[in-house]
Amino acid sequence: LFFFLFFLLLGILGEDALLPVPQNISILSTNMKHFLTWSPVIIQGETVRYSVEFQGEYEREYANESWIPICECSLIPATVCNITEDISATVAYNLRVRADVGPRRSEWGTLKGFFNRITTSLTPPLMKVIADGYHLLVELEDMGPAFQFCVLYWKKGQESRMQQKVVKEVGSMVHLDTIEAGPDYCVKAQTYVEVINRSSSFSQPQCVRAQGGRSMWLVIALISSAGFAVAALTLPFLTWKTAFVLQKVSEPPTQLILHGSEEAEQCHLMVRVVPSEEVLRLWIQ
């Protein structure tokens, strides 16, 4: 009886025992995208799920050191959590992870030290340099709204006379300069994030040479300008012409013919139907 009670008590305690605490908690942060990672807790025959919470400067100093759950990382089976949206200020954050299996759970495992997004690793942008006719163009990677780009360009062999252009929005080709035929022109760029006041290193220079001929970039710009001009000139004429035709068609819309008689007066309604050929003739006039 003693051994039976002993093993029964051991089984009850085993079910309520704490799970191992998640280990090797760390942050991976590149280009303002932040991920919390940890090593998996292994429980044979069970699916372990994890929950993540964070604590910012406000929670530590003004909210009784409270912790805020990250909803997207509540009871997840993965061992990585995207915390980018929750790291919304350039202050020190603390983070912690807990393991769960049914009613059983672990103690919280806490990140060693604090994380501040100012420490994120910044990389140069991907870019493509094009010589379109005599125009030097660059296409930059869209890295998100927080990113600006500093672009340097120069004639090869004249590095001391570099020119600079700051690009705050990307999405299409950026025109840098008009170039001469013959020499190579080189371009390099770096990223800049204003909210943390930090820049990446510069990309490797890319050099191109003017090919001559008609610039497709210029042709597209001219076609777009001409299209807007034609529309601006044509629209008032079309509006006036349509009003003129409608006025002609509706004259007179109805005609009342009165017939007198000894017993009563009768009123007959006459409706004028205009054939499509007449509408076309009025339009052409």
Side-chain angles (χ1 to χ4, degrees), residues 35 74 122 165 234 251:
F35 297 88
S74 178
L122 297 178
K165 189 178 186 72
T234 305
E251 288 181 353

Side-chain angles (χ1 to χ4, degrees), residues 7 14 21-22 27 30 51 58 69 71 90 108-109 112 116 129 154 156 161 171 206 233 245 256-258 274:
F7 285 111
V21 176
I27 293 280
T30 303
S51 297
Y58 177 84
C71 298
T90 308
W108 289 100
K112 292 182 179 179
N116 191 320
V129 180
W154 64 96
K156 196 169 186 178
R161 300 175 61 183
Q206 294 184 30
L233 293 173
V245 171
L256 296 178
I257 303 176
L258 299 178
V274 181

Side-chain angles (χ1 to χ4, degrees), residues 223-235:
I223 290 175
S224 299
S225 300
F228 283 119
V230 170
L233 293 173
T234 305
L235 186 58

Side-chain angles (χ1 to χ4, degrees), residues 125-228:
L126 298 176
M127 69 174 188
K128 182 179 181 181
V129 180
I130 298 172
D132 186 13
Y134 295 104
H135 296 274
L136 182 62
L137 311 175
V138 63
E139 184 177 12
L140 296 163
E141 173 190 8
D142 187 353
M143 301 175 69
F147 286 81
Q148 301 177 21
F149 304 94
C150 174
V151 182
L152 299 180
Y153 58 97
W154 64 96
K155 185 187 295 186
K156 196 169 186 178
Q158 298 183 8
E159 284 77 5
S160 61
R161 300 175 61 183
M162 285 184 182
Q163 299 185 67
Q164 176 178 307
K165 189 178 186 72
V166 175
V167 180
K168 296 186 177 182
E169 294 183 3
V170 298
S172 60
M173 288 286 184
V174 177
H175 183 263
L176 296 177
D177 207 349
T178 302
I179 56 179
E180 305 170 359
D184 288 342
Y185 288 82
C186 301
V187 180
K188 64 180 180 180
Q190 69 175 174
T191 57
Y192 171 71
V193 181
E194 185 175 9
V195 294
I196 61 173
N197 194 27
R198 281 189 54 221
S199 301
S200 72
S201 59
F202 275 96
S203 61
Q204 290 297 316
Q206 294 184 30
C207 300
V208 294
R209 181 175 299 179
Q211 302 299 319
R214 183 170 295 175
S215 166
M216 287 304 298
W217 179 83
L218 182 59
V219 169
I220 292 172
L222 290 174
I223 290 175
S224 299
S225 300
F228 283 119

Side-chain angles (χ1 to χ4, degrees), residues 7-51:
F7 285 111
L8 179 63
L9 180 63
L10 185 63
I12 294 173
L13 291 176
E15 287 188 0
D16 293 336
L18 292 173
L19 298 177
V21 176
Q23 301 293 321
N24 302 317
I25 301 170
S26 61
I27 293 280
L28 299 176
S29 178
T30 303
N31 293 330
M32 298 296 284
K33 293 180 175 59
H34 321 298
F35 297 88
L36 185 72
T37 67
W38 56 91
S39 298
V41 174
I42 306 299
I43 304 295
Q44 292 295 330
E46 299 284 358
T47 298
V48 181
R49 298 183 179 274
Y50 306 92
S51 297

